[in-house]
Amino acid sequence: MGKKVAIIGAGISGLLACKYTLSKGFQPIVFESSSTIGGVWTKTFESTKLQTPKAVYQFSDFPWPSSVTEDFPNQHQVMDYIQSYAQHFDLLRHIKFNTKVCGIEYEGPSEDEMQSWSLWAGTGEPFSSKGKWKVMVEDKQSPSTEVYLVDFVVLCIGRFSGIPNIPKFPPNKGPEEFHGEVIHSMEYASKDYESAAEFVKGKQVTVVGFQKSALDIAMECSN
């Protein structure tokens, strides 16, 4: 029986990790806190498109379908492509949706022994014979928690995994001093397209930032 590998997150990197571990004869278990695959592509703005040409944004063993002729596909086309990839390689059956990992612990050697290791797992090998990873998982649809024992853990939550990047402001110089409404781009993205358009309609909007999300929101507000 192959080694068990826990993969946290079913975005693009999580799907790749799942396919790769399967190809090596391992048993992947993918934990995804939402109800679908796709990671950051599941919640985007109406105007969001791929920001790099699709020729350099594709799976090496699964090219874009010929029906997608645009160089910069929109969010729906990207999601369809990701779904097709997961279905083609039969990855969905390895994913546990609506499951949130709430804790990870390594069980086996003592803390003192692990502190003395100069190599990963004491031997330099990815899988240790001395212990297991204990992954505590919460079912978001019912108040229950389950524990999984695995041989390895791969974190695929990404840098945009549902945690807003909000700077720290000096006292009395932050959003609380502004008398209008302040939201993060993630809150805007969580709205459906019609609600988002209605939210900014007829308003003067200041966008703080100059990355992809900021430019997308600025364009939608100007329209």
Side-chain angles (χ1 to χ4, degrees):
M1 184 177 292
K3 299 286 189 181
K4 289 185 177 180
V5 178
I7 299 169
I8 304 176
I12 290 177
S13 58
L15 295 175
L16 285 168
C18 181
K19 177 181 175 291
Y20 184 79
T21 52
L22 282 169
S23 72
K24 296 299 179 181
F26 303 141
Q27 297 183 59
I29 310 172
V30 184
F31 300 108
E32 170 55 49
S33 62
S34 72
S35 59
T36 186
I37 62 174
V40 294
W41 286 102
T42 61
K43 292 182 179 180
T44 64
F45 318 123
E46 185 175 9
S47 59
T48 297
K49 291 187 175 183
L50 200 62
Q51 64 192 66
T52 52
K54 70 176 189 290
V56 294
Y57 191 92
Q58 66 177 357
F59 300 106
S60 60
D61 51 1
F62 193 76
W64 284 87
S66 58
S67 58
V68 179
T69 58
E70 300 89 338
D71 285 332
F72 301 93
N74 62 35
Q75 181 254 3
H76 300 293
Q77 293 170 309
V78 174
M79 279 297 294
D80 287 345
Y81 175 57
I82 296 171
Q83 288 279 0
S84 297
Y85 175 85
Q87 292 168 359
H88 179 77
F89 292 106
D90 196 21
L91 305 180
L92 296 177
R93 64 189 178 95
H94 301 283
I95 303 173
K96 293 185 177 295
F97 292 104
N98 297 303
T99 54
K100 180 181 179 181
V101 175
C102 50
I104 303 174
E105 296 178 1
Y106 190 67
E107 288 193 338
S110 67
E111 188 69 26
D112 289 340
E113 181 182 348
M114 288 191 289
Q115 289 290 339
S116 69
W117 291 346
S118 58
L119 298 173
W120 174 269
T123 62
E125 297 296 323
F127 298 104
S128 172
S129 60
K130 297 182 179 181
K132 298 274 188 180
W133 289 94
K134 183 169 73 172
V135 182
M136 286 74 77
V137 178
E138 175 187 302
D139 187 335
K140 296 177 67 176
Q141 296 182 320
S142 64
S144 62
T145 302
E146 192 170 351
V147 176
Y148 293 82
L149 287 178
V150 299
D151 300 285
F152 202 82
V153 177
V154 183
L155 300 180
C156 296
I157 52 177
R159 57 181 297 198
F160 305 112
S161 59
I163 302 175
N165 181 16
I166 301 177
K168 291 184 178 179
F169 296 92
N172 301 319
K173 290 189 177 181
E176 70 279 358
E177 291 298 298
F178 179 64
H179 299 299
E181 188 167 0
V182 179
I183 67 169
H184 192 272
S185 59
M186 289 178 58
E187 296 175 71
Y188 183 82
S190 68
K191 299 177 181 292
D192 60 69
Y193 296 160
E194 186 177 338
S195 298
E198 188 62 31
F199 179 74
V200 299
K201 184 178 180 181
K203 295 179 180 177
Q204 289 184 318
V205 180
T206 297
V207 179
V208 180
F210 198 64
Q211 296 298 316
K212 184 68 168 63
S213 295
L215 296 177
D216 283 347
I217 292 176
M219 186 177 73
E220 291 197 3
C221 293
S222 67
N223 290 335

